[in-house]
Amino acid sequence: MKTSLKLIELVREKGEAIARNWAKDVRRNAKTPYYHDLPEDRILPQAIQFYEHLLEIVNLDDPFAGARAYFSKYAERLFREGIPLNEAVYALILMRRHIWLYAEFQATFITAIEQKQAVESLLRTTLIFDYIMYFVAETYETLLKGQAESERAKKKSDYVIPWTSWASLWWEGRGKREEESHNLNGHAR
């Protein structure tokens, strides 16, 4: 679907400025405390790369499929960094919001035609952000299940006693029982 999406063109031209605004916001927003102590130069690339990949998929005929590969890896990276799911999703909401805020601040959509383009752009970017949030949640769920399974396996392995240990425990116990029996029989005489 090739469309003239002025909002997306704005991201192409001003993506880094939008990302800087997002980084400032996410570092002080009450809903994203994980980001508060991170330096801007560590989180800024997250938004810049995100916006670059958004630009790549926005005009694809199947943005759902186009988004899956990158944004699943994006979610995995956030998960590995320890960012809680609720904060990862809210950071995405802020990314979407900052595109629109930047457009409003720049008075990008003035004429009626531009306002119509704004609506089309907003609908298209909202759809893509919905897909992205789905992939983030799906990836986190998969990774959390894998983490839980590995923890269960570790707990099970903590209780497994190898056969040789069972055999030695049995033999040790047998020897003690024989000794106790012998001592009891010896005291009775």
Side-chain angles (χ1 to χ4, degrees):
M1 175 183 183
K2 299 285 182 196
T3 57
S4 172
L5 300 175
K6 194 166 184 176
L7 195 60
I8 297 306
E9 289 305 315
L10 181 70
V11 173
R12 186 179 323 282
E13 295 168 12
K14 304 293 183 180
E16 190 167 333
I18 296 168
R20 285 191 188 289
N21 290 340
W22 169 83
K24 288 176 192 166
D25 193 10
V26 80
R27 289 182 63 223
R28 65 175 186 249
N29 191 292
K31 294 179 181 78
T32 55
Y34 180 87
Y35 290 89
H36 291 186
D37 295 328
L38 297 177
E40 186 175 309
D41 63 338
R42 181 161 170 227
I43 62 173
L44 189 59
Q46 177 184 341
I48 291 171
Q49 292 168 2
F50 179 92
Y51 289 138
E52 287 171 357
H53 282 87
L54 178 66
L55 294 171
E56 290 176 15
I57 64 168
V58 74
N59 278 322
L60 294 177
D61 289 332
D62 185 2
F64 186 83
R68 181 178 290 280
Y70 173 77
F71 290 106
S72 294
K73 288 178 186 158
Y74 169 86
E76 186 173 344
R77 193 170 56 249
L78 297 180
F79 180 85
R80 301 270 182 244
E81 288 179 23
I83 299 173
L85 176 59
N86 61 317
E87 293 185 47
V89 169
Y90 201 76
L92 289 170
I93 291 167
L94 291 175
M95 283 184 196
R96 181 180 60 202
R97 183 177 297 154
H98 276 278
I99 294 172
W100 186 251
L101 288 173
Y102 194 88
E104 268 189 32
F105 183 73
Q106 299 298 315
T108 304
F109 305 107
I110 298 172
T111 69
I113 293 172
E114 288 173 334
Q115 288 177 0
K116 183 179 183 307
Q117 287 177 340
V119 171
E120 290 172 4
S121 293
L122 187 58
L123 290 173
R124 185 73 173 171
T125 54
T126 298
L127 173 69
I128 292 169
F129 268 89
D130 289 348
Y131 292 160
I132 292 165
M133 286 186 215
Y134 172 81
F135 295 134
V136 167
E138 178 185 57
T139 301
Y140 264 73
E141 181 178 359
T142 300
L143 293 169
L144 286 170
K145 282 181 183 177
Q147 190 177 49
E149 288 172 10
S150 108
E151 287 174 12
R152 274 195 301 274
K154 185 182 180 318
K155 285 181 183 178
K156 282 183 181 179
S157 71
D158 289 346
Y159 298 109
V160 174
I161 299 175
W163 169 249
T164 55
S165 295
W166 281 108
S168 66
L169 287 173
W170 176 80
W171 192 256
E172 184 180 306
R174 180 176 175 211
K176 284 183 182 179
R177 283 193 304 276
E178 286 177 359
E179 185 179 313
E180 288 171 357
S181 174
H182 181 68
N183 287 341
L184 287 174
N185 289 337
H187 290 298
R189 290 185 191 176

